[in-house]
């Protein structure tokens, strides 16, 4: 598809996002098809709303970046989650076809041709994705990380504190532990949620237990000399995954940087206002959800266009799990850098 066409489809989808998502949700809720009725017995009402919201965002991602693979990767994750919940995965083919029909109602026919071809592509890959979702398991050989994770899930703070006391006495050791045990343990927690073995509540307990101990550990590490550079950290709009930037903020302060962290749930307008107010040297967007890729792309585009922000001496960076598996993320997102690890700053 030519760049202009893809932009047209993307813009049409954005323009009609409200009608499309609302209509689709209604179609699902009012459907009398047995597969939909059965699925709604398993998937909670609120969950359907989120599935449609993320589905729409991932279609935007596919058109914005002209990469159907982003959508298919997301679809595989979705299939894994709902395979474990025993949903008939053919439901998602129906969802895609309904999406296509709804688009045809609200958008120009010409703009829907590419949406139809994306739905066809998914249908072609459906059986393979189903098979992959049914056997793809997260196997973690790191016994220490599994133990660590199990203790996080039950909120065993004394165990976590002792682990850090035994393994971390300086920033280098902290980073080693962070990139191995902690990262693996949290992935393990996520996989247990994905495979329907633990609840969101337990994900929260794990995060809160880790956060309470880890921030205290970093706080007590020795500080480096001041670097006279100001880092500004923020999470992609609409995301709750804020632990990584809380850790990043503290680590960078210890490394001698001046750090301003906006945390989660900041609207784009406020982020831009804050950049103008604080005039940092670097602004870094952290994103974890694949659906946030579109939010990050749009915010970077908006900041770059803003004449009140540029030509300020500002470098824009990205970091977070959402960018994993993307070849050259900084090129794709038109940023100055991408960090896969804290120490890459
Ligand atoms: C804890 C957690 C939550 C917590 C977040 C609490 C909080 N205060 O942060 C809660 C329960 C709120 C949550 C909610 C959701 N989550 Co969640 N969550 C996780 C979990 C288990 C761990 C994330 C985490 O904190 N890791 C520890 C931190 C330190 O590591 P990290 O974020 O991965 O960051 C690393 C790098 O990416 C990088 N990095 C990140 N930011 C930055 C910034 C800088 C400056 C630098 C240098 C580096 C850097 O550094 C870290 C080390 O490598 C992951 C599992 C996983 N695989 O990660 C799922 C996971 C991310 N969640 C997921 C999902 C789907 C959700 C929900 C949609 C559904 C749900 N589970 O409830 C909602 C989303 C709500 C929303 N709008 O954001 C999926 C995402 C799937 C996808 N690919 O899009 C995952 C992967 C679970 C899974 N296996 O399916 N979640």
């Amino acid at each position: 598809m030519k760049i202009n066409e893809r932009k047209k489809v993307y813009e049409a989808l954005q323009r009609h996002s409200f009608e499309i998502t609302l209509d689709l949700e209604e179609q699902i809720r009012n459907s009398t098809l047995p597969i939909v009725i059965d699925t709604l017995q398993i998937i909670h009402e609120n969950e359907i709303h989120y599935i449609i919201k993320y589905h729409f965002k991932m279609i935007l991602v596919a058109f914005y970046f002209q990469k159907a693979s982003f959508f298919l990767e997301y679809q595989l994750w979705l299939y894994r989650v709902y395979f474990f919940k025993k949903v008939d995965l053919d439901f998602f083919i129906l969802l895609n076809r309904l999406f296509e029909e709804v688009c045809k109602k609200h958008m120009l026919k010409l703009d829907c041709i590419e949406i139809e071809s994306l739905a066809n592509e998914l249908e072609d890959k459906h059986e393979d994705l189903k098979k992959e979702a049914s056997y793809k398991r997260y196997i973690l050989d790191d016994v220490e990380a599994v133990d660590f994770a199990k203790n996080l899930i039950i909120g065993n703070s004394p165990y976590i504190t002792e682990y850090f006391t035994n393994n971390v006495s300086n920033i280098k050791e902290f980073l080693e532990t962070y990139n191995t045990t902690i990262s693996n343990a949290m992935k393990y927690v996520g996989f247990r949620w994905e495979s329907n073995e633990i609840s969101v509540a337990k994900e929260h307990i794990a995060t809160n237990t880790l956060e309470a101990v880890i921030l205290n550990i970093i706080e007590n590490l020795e500080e480096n000399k001041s670097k006279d550079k100001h880092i500004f950290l923020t999470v992609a709009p609409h995301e709750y995954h804020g632990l990584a930037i809380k850790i990043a903020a503290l680590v960078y302060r210890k490394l001698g940087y001046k750090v301003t962290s906006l945390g989660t749930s900041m609207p784009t307008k406020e982020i831009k206002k804050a950049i103008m107010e604080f005039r940092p040297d670097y602004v870094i967007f952290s994103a974890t959800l694949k659906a946030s890729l579109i939010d990050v792309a749009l915010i970077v585009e908006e900041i770059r266009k803003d004449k009140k922000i540029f030509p300020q001496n500002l470098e824009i960076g990205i970091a977070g799990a959402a960018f994993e598996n993307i070849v050259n993320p900084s090129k794709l997102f038109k940023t100055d850098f991408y960090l896969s690890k804290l120490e890459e700053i």
Side-chain angles (χ1 to χ4, degrees):
M1 192 183 5
K2 291 194 192 85
I3 291 284
N4 282 348
E5 285 168 26
R6 141 193 68 127
K7 217 173 153 213
K8 258 180 65 203
V9 180
Y10 166 78
E11 282 168 359
L13 278 166
Q14 279 281 33
R15 252 194 329 273
H16 298 284
S17 60
F18 184 71
E19 305 94 283
I20 294 172
T21 47
L22 201 72
D23 197 348
L24 184 57
E25 205 165 323
E26 257 178 44
Q27 303 263 353
I28 298 280
R29 287 190 200 282
N30 300 331
S31 172
T32 50
L33 290 171
I35 186 165
V36 178
I37 293 170
D38 289 349
T39 304
L40 291 182
Q41 303 274 329
I42 306 173
I43 299 183
H44 188 268
E45 270 204 24
N46 273 347
E47 225 169 305
I48 283 290
H49 173 77
Y50 284 107
I51 289 174
I52 291 173
K53 201 174 112 183
Y54 284 122
H55 186 88
F56 186 78
K57 276 184 119 178
M58 287 313 296
I59 292 203
L60 283 182
V61 169
F63 281 103
Y64 186 92
F65 294 107
Q66 211 187 336
K67 282 189 195 299
S69 58
F70 284 1
F71 185 76
L72 293 171
E73 194 192 324
Y74 162 78
Q75 200 75 21
L76 174 62
W77 169 81
L78 193 74
Y79 281 20
R80 281 208 310 266
V81 171
Y82 290 101
F83 167 80
F84 285 114
K85 291 190 173 170
K86 303 195 168 37
V87 166
D88 180 345
L89 298 177
D90 294 348
F91 167 78
F92 295 107
I93 284 294
L94 179 85
L95 181 71
N96 242 356
R97 288 296 176 204
L98 276 178
F99 183 86
E100 187 194 321
E101 263 175 43
V102 167
C103 286
K104 282 181 179 155
K105 256 177 32 197
H106 300 284
M107 291 166 52
L108 293 174
K109 283 248 153 44
L110 196 69
D111 290 338
C112 295
I113 297 173
E114 290 303 326
I115 292 170
E116 194 180 328
S117 77
L118 187 63
N120 290 341
E121 200 170 334
L122 177 68
E123 206 158 312
D124 288 347
K125 305 254 163 61
H126 178 63
E127 289 305 324
D128 288 346
L129 289 179
K130 256 169 77 171
K131 228 183 273 161
E132 206 175 332
S134 69
Y135 66 67
K136 201 160 182 173
R137 299 280 186 279
Y138 184 71
I139 296 161
L140 184 56
D141 295 328
D142 185 345
V143 185
E144 223 170 288
V146 173
D147 263 358
F148 191 89
K150 285 182 176 160
N151 281 286
L152 281 178
I153 293 168
I154 56 166
N156 188 355
S157 309
Y159 176 97
I160 305 300
T161 309
E162 199 189 326
Y163 183 88
F164 280 115
T165 315
N166 292 340
N167 292 288
V168 173
S169 58
N170 55 46
I171 209 90
K172 190 170 166 270
E173 281 173 5
F174 172 78
L175 289 171
E176 273 166 19
T177 309
Y178 183 65
N179 293 329
T180 52
T181 312
I182 299 172
S183 172
N184 284 342
M186 289 308 272
K187 281 187 181 140
Y188 179 81
V189 171
F191 188 73
R192 298 272 314 265
W193 168 81
E194 192 183 294
S195 40
N196 209 19
E197 289 166 14
I198 63 164
S199 60
V200 172
K202 286 196 173 153
E203 249 186 313
H204 271 287
I205 294 170
T207 317
N208 294 342
T209 308
L210 178 62
E211 185 177 322
V213 179
I214 207 173
L215 298 185
N216 197 26
I217 295 288
I218 310 170
E219 197 63 80
N220 290 322
L221 297 175
E222 209 178 304
E223 213 149 309
N224 285 11
K225 266 209 317 253
S226 169
K227 285 198 168 57
D228 194 31
K229 286 278 181 204
H230 184 179
I231 302 176
F232 188 91
L233 297 169
T234 183
V235 168
H238 317 298
E239 252 208 56
Y240 303 152
H241 297 98
L243 179 60
I245 70 156
K246 280 191 189 156
I247 295 172
L250 269 187
V251 168
Y252 289 158
R253 277 190 200 117
K254 287 288 161 189
L255 291 176
Y257 292 97
K258 179 181 173 196
V259 181
T260 305
S261 174
L262 296 189
T264 54
S265 309
M266 280 291 281
T268 304
K269 202 174 99 208
E270 294 303 323
I271 294 175
K272 280 168 61 184
K273 256 168 70 184
I275 295 174
M276 283 187 272
E277 188 182 339
F278 294 101
R279 304 186 75 78
D281 298 287
Y282 310 110
V283 52
I284 307 175
F285 292 100
S286 163
T288 305
L289 295 176
K290 288 284 175 193
S292 293
L293 292 177
I294 191 69
D295 299 319
V296 174
L298 293 179
I299 201 167
V300 170
E301 199 182 291
E302 213 175 298
I303 290 174
R304 286 238 177 270
K305 271 200 317 230
D306 199 319
K307 296 281 183 293
K308 286 195 257 83
I309 294 182
F310 285 99
Q312 186 185 120
N313 201 5
L314 172 72
E315 286 186 29
I316 304 177
I318 43 177
F323 305 98
E324 277 167 15
N325 304 330
I326 296 180
V327 183
N328 204 344
S330 46
K331 187 168 175 224
L332 192 64
F333 284 78
K334 300 188 178 66
T335 59
D336 300 294
F337 59 93
Y338 160 67
L339 302 174
S340 70
K341 287 191 177 126
L342 285 168
E343 54 270 44
E344 286 172 3
I345 190 81

